[in-house]
Amino acid sequence: MGRTKWWNVAIASCLIWVSVVGFMAVDSAAALEEPPVASVSADVQPAAAASLSIYPRPSIYSASSVYALKANGLSVPVISYAQYDYAHFSAAGPIALEVTALGQTAITEYGISPKKLNLAATKTGNTLAFTLTKDEYLIVKIDDKKELVIAVDPPETNPPASSGAGIYNVSASPYQADATGAANATAAIQRAIDDAAAYAGGQGIVYVPRGVYKVGNLELKSDVAMYLEGGAVFRFTGIPQDYTAHWHKDSQDRDVTWWIYTKPGSTNIKLYGRGTLDGNGKYAADTHDFGNNILVPIGVSHFTFEGLVVRDSASWAVTPARSDHLTFTNMKLLNRLDMGENDGIDINESQDVVVTNAIGISLDDPFSTKTWDQSVDISLSWPGAPEANERIVFDDLLAWTYCYAFKVGQGMRQNQRDITYRNGVIYNASVGFGIDHKYGAGALTNVTFENIDVERIGTWLGPLRSWSDFVIAAADGYGGGPIDGLTVRNVNVRDKGQSAARLRGYSGTAMIRGVTLDRIYMPGSANPAQTMAEMNLINRAFHAPVTILPVQSPEPVQRFNLAAGKQATASSSKAAPGLSVDGNLSTRWGSNYTDNEWFAVDLGASARIDQLKIYWEAAYGKSYAIEVSADGANWTTVFATTTGDGGVDDVTFAPTNARFVRMKGTQRGSIYGYSIWELEIYGETGNLAAGAAVSGTSSVENSNWSASRAVDGQRNSVTGSMGWTSNNSLTVNHAEAVTLDLRSLKTVGQVDLYPRNDAGNVGQNFPVDFTIRTSADGANWTTVKTVSNYAQPGNAVQRFVFPAVSAQWVAIEGTKLRANPTDANRYRMAFAEIEVYGDADRAAPVTTADVLSVTPSEA
């Protein structure tokens, strides 16, 4: 598999894509524009019962050499495609299916998705048999063969007659459109559309019989319904001279046409049937460097799509723009998996849109919503002014992709509101579902993902491989916009992926607020997760408190990471080793593409350690060892594995003294090297507050401040870990207190208070008068230190030593607070970190790195 070099990856966006040669094996028959042949297929079936409609294989498509299919005993054509083959028919249940794996005598393993259907199958030789109770879209995998997509539609409702009043049959006089694919049929079909639009008796119907029609641009007009009979194919020629170039795609430096589009200002349009819109995209892109949006409902009101196959797009396939009241039903989006920027359906700046009962397969996002403005390449020629996306529902979906299966974004130049994805199945994806607020400053309000089944996070495109992803990136200088109201409900996560899931806002103004996580079932658990940590949502910043249902437990307290900011070295580097000890799960070190590589951390002094975490990027270690050393020369193995599978490895071992720690790889888990987002090391620090439970008389709880962040090991007020602050925004002096439960009796003789040190607030909110009190039982308290008229501290730890006592609880009570002029002279008490030691001799040394000023205030 070829791809762009990982250190230049902009691919995580799934929008900026560099086409890849040799990404997957290509079906040459599907890649090239086939010469026209007779339009009658050899595998046309005799008329079946009314409940089963089998359509002929169009003449330009080859029969599958991998699979054969029967439905209720009748043969169904299976079409050979690229990375999968497919079959399409209509039926009312029950439907008995028989899938035959050609070229083998027996079936060893198989899978039928959606797994939630729990379809029981029987194997007889090389045939797999099972029964559907109703129409479904399925993906079948047998042994090491490519997948078979089986698209069973419901029976057609009131298909039109081929002739009669208001019926304009493109094969009849005066149109006589060529149905063999030999001649261009554009003029004849457009004339039928124009005549149907002029029909005075209501909505005129353009009837397209089975056959292959070579078609240029078509403009659909008001009060026109176009019906493609099963076996009918509109075929894109791929030749630029046959089309109008409506826009130029900058990321691919390629002209793109709206192949079939609506006349701006039109209304009451329908496109339906069981035929196919074939974008011939692989041929168009590879041979003529030309792209197409297959279907563009633009500037239209009340548009209906029902039942067609849309395949092989060379750009975003179905692209509604600045339209309203759109319905897409029984839609089969069958794109290839070896060409980029071929999204399935992207809803752009439209309102009141419903997409229901659809399968979407594409390398890029199959189902998404976006908003732009007049400065973006795709929207430069869109009519009218930019609009919001509002009231959009995706329901009953099956997705397969190398990007996000279900996504809001990346375009967020305008607002989006009331976006719902429900009843979806993710067969395979790089990211299951999420929000990628990347371009623009629009506000996103009321987004819901519910009843989602995440089957596999196995494909790879860029650095993300996670079951969900919610992020505000502000990648274009607009500053990002807020997300208000995110509900994720009833999600069955069968595969959480191999990277940390994100819940990351961008700033104090571009935050994620109003998050509810309701009944999220993680792999291997019959009960809903109770913390974000259990959900693998550990890459977090700038979000308001999250509600977890039905039961929410406190997030686990992070132990002090001894590796943070320490010196890191490696056997080879595609990027600086320090990127894997910088506390940022979005930066990483990676090695050369060889097996024998290592990554090491110098803790600066000997420490007693017992735990290590590795957050692997997609390039992980299958076989590796964790080694420790006192001198960096002589190494001892404390852990080893030959079955690594990526993701997050949480390694524990017997406590040992060491200064140097390294990961020594002996076998890669991919064709690339070893790549680590972050490596963390834990052990004893002498700080008794590590792991303490923290409470306050009041406490700000958001993505930057919280009670638990007073003891998270971060001594600086940095984005995502500012520390603890009281939340009383009073302009009069008052008392506040913060209390640490050390969880057991300890000998306590010193408290280190680290002032907040974010830019402009160094030493602010440090109390003027305060006491330090201790308790052995939580009821009876002893004052061990009284401080009065304390000057506003600088950017350094403030150490308070007292005669050692036995205590489980330590409290700092501010009796006179300091007004903060940068906070409207309100009175708060705040600390970046609180540490407790047994006596002065055990205190951890304070270094210059501990007192660096870092980020703007986010209180």
Side-chain angles (χ1 to χ4, degrees):
M1 180 181 72
R3 60 171 180 165
T4 51
K5 293 181 179 179
W6 65 264
W7 60 89
N8 286 330
V9 168
I11 294 177
S13 68
C14 296
L15 177 66
I16 309 302
W17 170 261
V18 178
S19 294
V20 177
V21 177
F23 189 81
M24 284 188 174
V26 177
D27 180 344
S28 59
L32 300 177
E33 184 184 39
E34 301 89 346
V37 296
S39 61
V40 178
S41 171
D43 47 9
V44 173
Q45 299 298 312
S51 62
L52 187 66
S53 297
I54 299 175
Y55 311 115
R57 172 173 56 85
S59 61
I60 56 174
Y61 302 143
S62 299
S64 173
S65 62
V66 181
Y67 292 107
L69 176 67
K70 287 185 177 180
N72 291 347
L74 297 175
S75 293
V76 178
V78 180
I79 293 173
S80 176
Y81 198 27
Q83 293 74 40
Y84 56 93
D85 292 347
Y86 70 91
H88 170 222
F89 63 98
S90 298
I95 308 137
L97 295 177
E98 297 178 23
V99 178
T100 300
L102 302 176
Q104 65 186 63
T105 58
I107 295 172
T108 303
E109 296 180 338
Y110 69 89
I112 305 173
S113 292
K115 292 181 179 179
K116 69 178 184 179
L117 297 177
N118 294 316
L119 294 172
T122 58
K123 298 182 294 182
T124 305
N126 65 343
T127 297
L128 187 70
F130 55 96
T131 298
L132 300 176
T133 58
K134 66 178 187 65
D135 57 278
E136 298 281 0
Y137 297 152
L138 307 174
I139 300 176
V140 176
K141 174 71 173 174
I142 293 179
D143 294 329
D144 60 353
K145 294 177 178 292
K146 63 180 179 178
E147 281 88 340
L148 171 63
V149 173
I150 304 175
V152 185
D153 275 324
E156 294 185 78
T157 303
N158 298 321
S162 59
S163 62
I167 306 293
Y168 301 85
N169 190 316
V170 300
S171 66
S173 181
Y175 313 113
Q176 297 179 324
D178 180 75
T180 69
N184 196 305
T186 309
I189 296 173
Q190 186 63 57
R191 182 179 177 185
I193 293 171
D194 295 344
D195 289 350
Y199 177 61
Q203 191 178 49
I205 298 174
V206 177
Y207 191 97
V208 181
R210 67 182 56 171
V212 177
Y213 301 84
K214 187 183 293 184
V215 176
N217 291 117
L218 293 177
E219 184 181 66
L220 303 178
K221 299 183 177 180
S222 293
D223 300 318
V224 169
M226 178 179 284
Y227 175 81
L228 275 69
E229 184 185 22
V233 178
F234 279 179
R235 177 74 158 178
F236 190 78
T237 70
I239 301 171
Q241 291 79 4
D242 293 341
Y243 300 90
T244 298
H246 290 97
W247 62 290
H248 184 83
K249 193 166 191 60
D250 295 338
S251 60
Q252 295 179 317
D253 193 20
R254 174 182 297 162
D255 285 341
V256 181
T257 187
W258 305 338
W259 180 23
I260 301 170
Y261 61 97
T262 58
K263 183 177 182 179
S266 58
T267 186
N268 190 29
I269 295 175
K270 185 174 183 179
L271 182 60
Y272 67 124
R274 296 294 185 265
T276 298
L277 306 179
D278 187 335
N280 199 16
K282 185 68 173 172
Y283 171 82
D286 289 355
T287 306
H288 296 286
D289 195 22
F290 191 53
N292 56 14
N293 302 124
I294 291 179
L295 176 62
V296 184
I298 189 165
V300 63
S301 181
H302 294 87
F303 176 90
T304 300
F305 174 103
E306 193 277 326
L308 300 180
V309 173
V310 179
R311 58 166 267 170
D312 197 9
S313 177
S315 188
W316 301 356
V318 180
T319 316
R322 297 182 185 171
S323 298
D324 64 85
H325 295 89
L326 314 177
T327 302
F328 300 86
T329 307
N330 304 326
M331 182 165 58
K332 285 78 63 182
L333 296 162
L334 305 181
N335 278 336
R336 301 172 66 100
L337 293 166
D338 60 353
M339 52 190 299
E341 301 210 47
N342 62 346
D343 299 29
I345 179 169
D346 295 333
I347 309 298
N348 298 272
E349 300 179 38
S350 297
Q351 305 82 42
D352 300 295
V353 183
V354 175
V355 180
T356 184
N357 194 37
I359 180 171
I361 303 175
S362 58
L363 186 142
D364 272 349
D365 312 315
F367 302 100
S368 66
T369 69
K370 298 176 171 68
T371 53
W372 303 107
D373 58 26
Q374 296 303 126
S375 68
V376 180
D377 53 6
I378 189 173
S379 56
L380 286 173
S381 57
W382 287 357
E387 302 177 13
N389 262 341
E390 295 181 338
R391 298 175 301 280
I392 298 172
V393 175
F394 292 88
D395 187 17
D396 192 12
L397 310 177
L398 175 58
W400 178 9
T401 180
Y402 273 63
C403 273
Y404 292 68
F406 313 138
K407 184 172 83 172
V408 178
Q410 295 167 337
M412 278 296 307
R413 294 283 174 86
Q414 315 304 319
N415 295 341
Q416 297 197 47
R417 174 184 294 274
D418 300 331
I419 313 296
T420 299
Y421 288 86
R422 65 189 181 211
N423 304 319
V425 173
I426 297 155
Y427 170 71
N428 204 345
S430 179
V431 175
F433 58 86
I435 298 168
D436 189 3
H437 191 315
K438 188 170 185 178
Y439 300 120
L444 179 58
T445 307
N446 192 22
V447 178
T448 300
F449 297 93
E450 62 182 349
N451 303 331
I452 308 293
D453 196 342
V454 183
E455 291 192 357
R456 186 181 175 203
I457 303 299
T459 55
W460 188 93
L461 187 59
L464 297 179
R465 294 179 73 179
S466 60
W467 68 275
S468 67
D469 185 56
F470 310 102
V471 64
I472 304 171
D476 55 0
Y478 280 61
I483 299 173
D484 286 295
L486 168 62
T487 300
V488 182
R489 179 186 297 122
N490 195 26
V491 178
N492 183 23
V493 182
R494 301 174 191 262
D495 185 350
K496 70 178 182 180
Q498 292 185 316
S499 62
R502 297 186 296 180
L503 182 66
R504 293 186 65 90
Y506 181 71
S507 68
T509 55
M511 290 185 64
I512 303 176
R513 302 183 179 90
V515 179
T516 299
L517 305 173
D518 181 4
R519 287 165 292 154
I520 311 301
Y521 296 86
M522 299 304 290
S525 178
N527 298 313
Q530 297 180 11
T531 67
M532 287 184 283
E534 290 180 22
M535 300 176 197
N536 202 34
L537 275 166
I538 55 180
N539 191 349
R540 307 192 299 264
F542 294 111
H543 64 80
V546 172
T547 299
I548 298 175
L549 299 173
V551 177
Q552 184 163 5
S553 297
E555 294 295 323
V557 175
Q558 180 68 40
R559 297 177 71 188
F560 183 72
N561 175 18
L562 300 174
K566 296 302 191 292
Q567 182 180 359
T569 55
S571 54
S572 63
S573 296
K574 298 290 188 180
L579 294 174
S580 289
V581 290
D582 63 354
N584 186 345
L585 286 168
S586 298
T587 61
R588 59 194 169 113
W589 159 85
S591 74
N592 287 339
Y593 300 164
T594 56
D595 281 325
N596 294 314
E597 301 283 350
W598 56 262
F599 177 90
V601 179
D602 179 357
L603 300 178
S606 180
R608 192 161 180 80
I609 60 174
D610 57 19
Q611 183 183 8
L612 177 143
K613 284 186 180 180
I614 302 177
Y615 296 85
W616 292 105
E617 193 260 344
Y620 64 93
K622 181 178 181 181
S623 297
Y624 68 91
I626 301 301
E627 299 178 332
V628 299
S629 172
D631 57 10
N634 301 291
W635 296 90
T636 300
T637 299
V638 295
F639 171 83
T641 183
T642 59
T643 58
D645 59 358
V648 180
D649 284 351
D650 191 345
V651 175
T652 58
F653 45 87
T656 185
N657 293 319
R659 173 175 172 175
F660 300 90
V661 181
R662 75 178 179 185
M663 182 285 300
K664 186 177 181 181
T666 54
Q667 184 181 358
R668 297 163 289 161
S670 72
I671 64 173
Y672 306 101
Y674 302 88
S675 184
I676 296 174
W677 291 114
E678 198 72 11
L679 186 143
E680 299 171 351
I681 300 169
Y682 303 102
E684 298 177 10
T685 66
N687 175 18
L688 305 177
V694 183
S695 59
T697 48
S698 64
S699 181
V700 171
E701 298 289 325
N702 60 28
S703 61
N704 288 295
W705 298 93
S706 69
S708 64
R709 289 184 174 90
V711 294
D712 66 356
Q714 176 54 258
R715 293 167 168 173
N716 297 290
S717 297
V718 299
T719 299
S721 180
M722 303 291 286
W724 167 83
T725 179
S726 63
N727 63 7
N728 285 13
S729 299
L730 301 179
T731 56
V732 295
N733 219 324
H734 62 285
E736 291 283 359
V738 58
T739 302
L740 281 61
D741 178 356
L742 306 182
R743 300 186 186 274
S744 63
L745 284 173
K746 306 285 175 61
T747 298
V748 176
Q750 176 179 307
V751 172
D752 285 358
L753 300 177
Y754 288 82
R756 63 180 296 185
N757 64 350
D758 44 309
N761 283 285
V762 174
Q764 292 289 359
N765 303 123
F766 203 95
V768 178
D769 295 348
F770 60 96
T771 61
I772 299 175
R773 299 189 300 155
T774 63
S775 175
D777 57 9
N780 300 291
W781 291 85
T782 300
T783 299
V784 296
K785 197 74 174 180
T786 300
V787 181
S788 301
N789 298 317
Y790 201 78
Q792 180 174 326
N795 195 10
V797 63
Q798 307 300 298
R799 180 162 292 165
F800 303 93
V801 181
F802 45 86
V805 297
S806 180
Q808 180 174 337
W809 286 268
V810 177
I812 300 96
E813 182 178 7
T815 53
K816 180 180 180 181
L817 305 185
R818 193 181 312 274
N820 186 350
T822 68
D823 188 25
N825 285 317
R826 294 184 175 93
Y827 291 84
R828 299 175 184 262
M829 186 166 74
F831 305 109
E833 187 75 5
I834 302 172
E835 296 179 358
V836 178
Y837 296 92
D839 53 57
D841 292 337
R842 296 187 59 194
V846 180
T847 67
T848 303
D850 293 325
V851 292
L852 293 177
S853 182
V854 278
T855 59
S857 170
E858 299 296 346

